[in-house]
């Protein structure tokens, strides 16, 4: 969210009488478009959002029906999807910097990790894109030559105190390795101080959240892959021993 948008929100909160702006859905539409545009740019895959409902006066918000498309050449339509995300916004921080989101709770998302014959995965590709596209500092990722100097304004910074990802339904597809698809529900994932003490520019924060969540899921998928391959080898050894004593 740019500087002018943040100032407008603060003024509207103070004035109170102008809250018709929020009722019109303009803010929700703006946030929805920003998530889709920034998410797609950072991941290099299409990000879509079903609905955004931000209630700043209550310090609450929700995002519904968010999906992250799979890279080409993978079977599933989406690599990641979540039906419901709730936000707990620190109202007092709206007049300060960084703006603080006390908690983001991602409820029962679905993750599909497909391992290729070469040992790579769809999540590797998405994480590589995030590493390429997320700025390595507070500087904007857009080259200065593409934006007139007079239009460049510092973005407000945002910090998330806690992110809880509960009940991830993970599918690890090992079909290309001669195995099969395995389903598992992951333990709760907890992330803290996303954006650091100083916060991140608002347009970068979403990409950083995606990066950290997908890294956790990718790590869990690798552990599941190792365990299933180990189990398959163990079963083969048991079968051979059984055949010897027939």
């Amino acid at each position: 969210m740019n500087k002018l948008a943040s100032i407008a929100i603060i003024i509207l909160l103070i004035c109170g009488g102008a809250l018709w702006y929020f009722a019109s859905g303009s803010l929700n539409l703006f946030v929805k478009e920003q998530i889709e545009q920034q998410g797609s740019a950072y991941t290099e895959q299409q990000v879509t959002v079903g609905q955004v409902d931000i209630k700043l006066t209550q310090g609450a918000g929700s995002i519904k029906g968010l999906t992250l498309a799979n890279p080409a050449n993978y079977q599933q339509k989406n690599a990641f999807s979540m039906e419901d995300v709730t936000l707990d916004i620190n109202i007092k921080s709206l007049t300060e910097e960084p703006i603080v989101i006390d908690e983001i709770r991602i409820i029962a998302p679905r993750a599909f990790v497909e391992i290729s014959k070469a040992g790579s995965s769809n999540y590797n590709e998405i994480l590589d894109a995030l590493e390429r596209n997320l700025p390595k500092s507070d500087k904007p990722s857009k080259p200065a030559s593409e934006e007139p100097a007079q239009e460049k304004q510092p973005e407000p910074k945002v910090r998330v105190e806690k992110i809880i990802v509960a009940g991830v339904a993970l599918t690890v597809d090992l079909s290309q390795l001669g195995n099969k698809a395995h389903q598992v529900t992951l333990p709760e994932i907890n992330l803290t101080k996303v954006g650091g003490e100083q916060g991140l520019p608002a347009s970068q924060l979403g990409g950083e959240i995606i990066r950290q969540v997908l890294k956790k899921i990718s790590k869990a998928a690798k552990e599941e892959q190792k365990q299933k391959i180990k189990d398959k080898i163990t079963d083969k050894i048991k079968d051979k021993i059984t055949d010897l004593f027939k």
Side-chain angles (χ1 to χ4, degrees):
M1 191 179 297
N2 58 43
K3 187 85 170 179
L4 291 177
S6 299
I7 292 172
I9 288 169
I10 293 167
I11 291 172
L12 286 167
L13 284 172
I14 293 171
C15 293
L19 289 178
W20 57 267
Y21 176 88
F22 298 114
S24 71
S26 297
L27 176 62
N28 293 331
L29 178 61
F30 179 79
V31 173
K32 177 180 183 295
E33 290 174 346
Q34 286 299 302
I35 293 172
E36 292 178 338
Q37 290 170 12
Q38 299 294 343
S40 299
Y42 286 135
T43 63
E44 299 179 10
Q45 307 302 325
Q46 185 176 22
V47 172
T48 60
V49 176
Q51 182 181 6
V52 172
D53 185 14
I54 304 294
K55 296 181 175 69
L56 281 179
T57 55
Q58 300 175 28
S62 67
I63 301 168
K64 297 184 182 296
L66 187 150
T67 62
L68 169 61
N70 229 349
N73 303 320
Y74 288 97
Q75 294 180 355
Q76 291 293 311
K77 179 180 178 181
N78 296 317
F80 184 78
S81 63
M82 44 194 183
E83 290 300 322
D84 196 10
V85 181
T86 59
L87 312 174
D88 183 4
I89 303 163
N90 188 316
I91 298 176
K92 292 181 180 179
S93 74
L94 290 174
T95 57
E96 304 169 353
E97 191 166 295
I99 294 170
V100 177
I101 298 176
D102 288 328
E103 181 181 283
I104 295 177
R105 184 177 289 269
I106 301 172
I107 304 165
R110 295 183 294 277
F112 188 92
V113 179
E114 183 178 349
I115 312 299
S116 69
K117 290 181 180 180
S120 185
S121 74
N122 53 340
Y123 271 46
N124 290 147
E125 291 191 22
I126 296 170
L127 286 168
D128 285 347
L130 285 163
E131 291 294 335
R132 283 194 301 272
N133 297 319
L134 278 171
K136 300 300 186 289
S137 67
D138 289 346
K139 296 178 181 179
S141 55
K142 190 175 183 179
S145 59
E146 295 183 16
E147 185 175 342
Q150 64 269 25
E151 294 182 9
K152 293 174 70 63
Q153 298 184 30
E155 289 186 73
K157 293 184 178 180
V158 185
R159 180 179 78 230
V160 182
E161 292 292 338
K162 179 169 39 173
I163 297 176
I164 298 171
V165 188
V168 179
L170 172 64
T171 297
V172 183
D173 190 348
L174 306 176
S175 300
Q176 293 192 43
L177 300 179
N179 203 291
K180 61 180 183 179
H182 301 272
Q183 285 80 37
V184 63
T185 300
L186 298 182
E188 186 173 279
I189 296 171
N190 291 277
L191 302 169
T192 58
K193 291 286 189 292
V194 178
E197 289 295 334
Q198 303 303 314
L200 282 173
S203 64
Q204 297 177 26
L205 183 68
E208 180 60 22
I209 291 172
I210 293 173
R211 188 182 73 84
Q212 292 200 29
V213 170
L214 295 190
K215 279 185 73 174
K216 289 284 188 181
I217 294 173
S218 181
K219 182 178 179 181
K222 288 176 183 176
E223 292 300 320
E224 183 70 10
Q225 176 188 354
K226 288 178 184 177
Q227 186 59 50
K228 294 306 178 183
I229 291 175
K230 181 179 177 182
D231 290 346
K232 186 173 182 178
I233 292 172
T234 301
D235 289 342
K236 284 184 176 181
I237 293 172
K238 286 180 179 178
D239 289 342
K240 287 184 177 181
I241 291 173
T242 300
D243 291 341
L244 288 172
F245 287 93
K246 280 184 178 180

